[in-house]
Amino acid sequence: MTGGAYRHFLDLDQIDASDLRQIIDRAKAIKNARAGLPKGAADPAKPLNGEILAAIFERESTRTRVSFDVGMRQLGGQTMVLTGDETQLGRGETVADTARVLSRFVDVLMLRTLRHDYLLELAEHATIPVINGLTQLTHPCQLMADVMTMEEHRGPVAGKVAAWTGDGNNVCASLVHAAVKFDFELRIATPPEYALRQDVLDWAAAQGGRVSATEDPHAAVKDADFVFTDTFVSMGQTGREQRLERLDPYRISEAVMATAKPDALFLHCLPAHRGEEVDEAVIDGPQSVVWDEAENRLHVQKAILLWCLGK
């Protein structure tokens, strides 16, 4: 790191709303400024020239890995990608020691893991910024791309209504954080056995957020501006057939989308499983913005990197 202030990007509920707004607005500016440039071309200012990101993946990844790597290159920096088998994180070496060592070699760390405690311990002992690339509890980078996408298509998100149906998972938890920080209403529909963690709902209530939970997907989606879901069987989860059977009433079909506003948008963080959590006619239909949503991971993560490094 070249010096100056740095900040961790761990979870949306830990970051001031004004900072999150700054990141979204900068991501939009970054995207607009690159119009017409080849994907491999660096941004003219190369603000991260000479800086290195160590991206640690304990879980599989397509969008997070590629977007962080391409983002660093476009910002003029470099990326070092490490998989779980290539590090001794939490096994042959403590997480704290890994944080101290990597802080001597690189300028910023990104961790994708199913151990949220690893993320927190890494941030506690690192002397460089740490970014949450996904844990079993939250996925904040994804939600920043989602908010950017919502605003690209429908203007300011404050005051709008979003609906989530399906598994109350890590993406859903970060959607709750986003709803509070960006001031939109969120209705969540899950079966009780796959409900979102109560502490996340309690946090939203304590913050005065307009977040509600129900078992009825039609009630959640009714007159919504945005409809979200995610895969019903995430990485590392067992009991696939049982989960699919129980969650099937929460699948986003054309009939479910018809209960939302006529111009409602469909969002999905991908990878998607057509015929499971969403029908092909929806995700590949005119109301879907999933490809813009995927692209915006790149622009948002560049803005997150710059915010973390104080650039």
Side-chain angles (χ1 to χ4, degrees), residues 15-37:
I15 302 173
D16 288 344
S18 60
D19 284 337
L20 295 175
R21 169 50 56 193
Q22 174 192 329
I23 293 170
I24 292 290
D25 290 345
R26 192 164 192 185
K28 294 175 184 176
I30 288 170
K31 182 176 183 177
N32 291 335
R34 283 197 60 84
L37 285 179

Side-chain angles (χ1 to χ4, degrees), residues 45-98:
K46 296 183 180 179
L48 296 189
N49 184 34
E51 311 232 23
I52 300 176
L53 163 71
I56 306 172
F57 291 89
E58 291 200 312
R59 305 299 303 184
E60 302 84 350
S61 171
T62 298
R63 277 151 295 280
T64 300
R65 176 169 178 162
V66 175
S67 56
F68 267 111
D69 191 8
V70 172
M72 277 301 288
R73 297 185 197 200
Q74 291 182 352
L75 291 169
Q78 302 176 56
T79 307
M80 176 185 298
V81 176
L82 303 169
T83 66
D85 293 337
E86 295 170 335
T87 68
Q88 302 179 58
L89 187 68
R91 293 186 292 274
E93 181 174 67
T94 68
V95 175
D97 286 354
T98 296

Side-chain angles (χ1 to χ4, degrees), residues 99-180:
R100 296 181 182 108
V101 170
L102 292 181
S103 296
R104 301 296 182 98
F105 293 139
V106 302
D107 301 284
V108 55
L109 295 170
M110 191 288 298
L111 176 63
R112 183 178 176 92
T113 176
L114 292 184
R115 291 284 303 268
H116 196 82
D117 57 326
Y118 278 12
L119 175 79
L120 299 180
E121 190 172 357
L122 197 71
E124 179 182 357
H125 296 281
T127 55
I128 58 176
V130 174
I131 297 172
N132 178 357
L134 177 144
T135 74
Q136 85 279 23
L137 299 185
T138 55
H139 197 2
C141 291
Q142 177 63 53
L143 259 298
M144 293 296 281
D146 293 350
V147 171
M148 179 177 173
T149 306
M150 294 156 77
E151 295 200 335
E152 274 186 339
H153 288 270
R154 292 292 181 266
V157 74
K160 297 287 199 309
V161 178
W164 173 280
T165 77
D167 186 16
N169 63 8
N170 51 358
V171 180
C172 183
S174 286
L175 181 57
V176 171
H177 295 160
V180 172

